[in-house]
Amino acid sequence: MEHHDPLAPCDDRRLIEAALHVRGNAHAPYSGFAVGAAVEDGDGRIFAGCNVENAAYPEGTCAEAGAIAAMVAAGGRSLRRVVVCGGGAQPCFPCGGCRQKIREFAAVSVVVDMVDPQGNILARRTLGDLLPDGFGPENL
């Protein structure tokens, strides 16, 4: 049996392209920090979301939450991969709340890529690296 490194680069750029594209639709008039995210579900379908800020600051939503909501709305219940695209040369890691949202639908071995606006991978982590000792559905 061949061993597959979960952190090895993925040849499929569709997920990255989806995150790059949706970032252009972000509604970030207050921070100016546009974020796009794309997720691949267990059936290989891709869903994207962007951050949506709100004048009542706590009412905004993160890009990852939007992508996950689109997946769930379409009947998806598991995440295979996640990509997050921020706006600069530094990786845009998911916030703590989004790490937990990803954990609801993903195993700790799922890979999360953080890319720049050109699609270059700036950081690659497993969900377990991002959310060590996380609380998931199997804990209930």
Side-chain angles (χ1 to χ4, degrees):
M1 183 165 97
E2 181 181 331
H3 174 71
H4 174 69
D5 179 359
L7 295 179
C10 178
D11 292 334
D12 184 359
R13 300 255 328 150
R14 294 179 311 136
L15 198 61
I16 291 173
E17 295 299 326
L20 298 179
H21 176 76
V22 75
R23 182 176 173 269
N25 295 333
H27 178 72
Y30 308 107
S31 72
F33 192 79
V35 179
V39 300
E40 180 184 358
D41 76 356
D43 294 326
R45 299 178 299 170
I46 293 174
F47 301 92
C50 57
N51 59 322
V52 180
E53 294 180 350
N54 191 289
Y57 295 133
E59 298 306 317
T61 56
C62 295
E64 300 90 332
I68 291 168
M71 178 195 76
V72 171
R77 292 295 183 265
S78 66
L79 289 173
R80 189 182 291 170
R81 291 187 299 154
V82 179
V83 171
V84 181
C85 179
Q90 296 300 314
C92 179
F93 289 94
C95 72
C98 284
R99 293 175 194 206
Q100 186 63 48
K101 288 174 178 69
I102 294 167
R103 180 65 185 92
E104 181 67 20
F105 299 99
V108 296
S109 61
V110 163
V111 172
V112 180
D113 283 331
M114 283 59 65
V115 302
D116 67 14
Q118 292 73 45
N120 301 304
I121 297 172
L122 300 174
R124 170 171 280 162
R125 304 286 190 276
T126 64
L127 181 56
D129 291 335
L130 293 173
L131 189 66
D133 303 317
F135 188 85
E138 69 279 358
N139 295 115
L140 296 176

